[in-house]
Every structure is written in structure tokens, then in C-alpha cells.
Amino acid sequence: QVQLVESGGGLVQAGGSLRLSCAASGSIFSINAMGWYRQAPGKQRELVALIATSGSTNYADSVKGRFTISRDNAKNTTYLEMNSLTPEDTAVYYCNADLLVAPLAAPLVYWGQGTQVTVSS
């Protein structure tokens, strides 16, 4: 069983910073890409940032220059450093991982339960 658990969310004032963490646990053979998505009330879930095993990254235009995604492969963990936060960043942030549970298995996508980030003006 694979589980992704997010942490680090909370309430922060505009201009502040937060660091989100997502730890994957369970029977994991290897992890390919990991990422962060977010969903604001009444809005569709959107990609925030992705990071591949190679370390290459991809960011939504709205967070470029403000957010940084990283990963610790030894801990099966990804982080999202969020700086210069604005109220528009308020959303539930979800961790995502594309991984293998066995050497020759097909990659599967897993999601965390989400962590709330609220940015006050």
C-alpha cells in the first residue's frame, strides 16, 4: 500500500512563506516524477510544479520565481518552498507521485489528501 502525506500548510500573511512537505511511504520500488497541484474553492485542480528523477522542474506561470520544488530521493519526499505568497495562492495543495510498486510494473499515479494553505491580505 502506497500513501502520500502532505504537511506544512497553514495560515500566512501576504508576502510570507511556507514550505510544504510530502512523504511517500509503503511498498515503493521507485518514484519517477513528483509534483504539487492545488485547488481553490470553485476552481479546477491545477498543476503548480513538477520535478523529475533527473531534477528537472516545471512550474506554472503564476508561481515561477516564487515557488521552488525539490525532492529527497532517500526519503521519498518532495518539498514545495513558497515565497512571496499572495491571497491568490490560497488553495488546498495536493502532492502527486508517479511511481512503480514493482520492477516491471506499469507506473501508477498516487495522490495525497491535501494540505490547506490560506494567505491573508
Side-chain angles (χ1 to χ4, degrees):
Q1 296 177 315
V2 176
Q3 184 176 23
L4 274 60
V5 179
E6 302 96 337
S7 63
L11 176 64
V12 64
Q13 294 187 72
S17 300
L18 283 174
R19 191 179 86 150
L20 306 183
S21 299
C22 172
S25 62
S27 298
I28 300 172
F29 177 73
S30 64
I31 299 178
N32 298 318
M34 300 188 78
W36 290 93
Y37 290 71
R38 67 186 181 186
Q39 187 167 23
K43 304 294 183 180
Q44 296 184 65
R45 186 174 299 187
E46 65 175 351
L47 171 68
V48 177
L50 290 174
I51 184 167
T53 303
S54 64
S56 63
T57 58
N58 185 36
Y59 296 94
D61 289 339
S62 60
V63 307
K64 287 181 180 177
R66 300 189 298 120
F67 291 11
T68 301
I69 187 171
S70 61
R71 63 190 291 173
D72 184 335
N73 292 328
K75 296 181 178 180
N76 287 337
T77 299
T78 184
Y79 306 93
L80 185 67
E81 180 70 33
M82 305 184 294
N83 300 310
S84 301
L85 287 163
T86 75
E88 293 184 352
D89 295 315
T90 296
V92 176
Y93 284 70
Y94 297 91
C95 177
N96 166 282
D98 179 26
L99 54 80
L100 303 176
V101 297
L104 298 179
L108 297 174
V109 177
Y110 291 84
W111 293 86
Q113 291 299 116
T115 185
Q116 177 71 46
V117 172
T118 302
V119 184
S120 62
S121 59

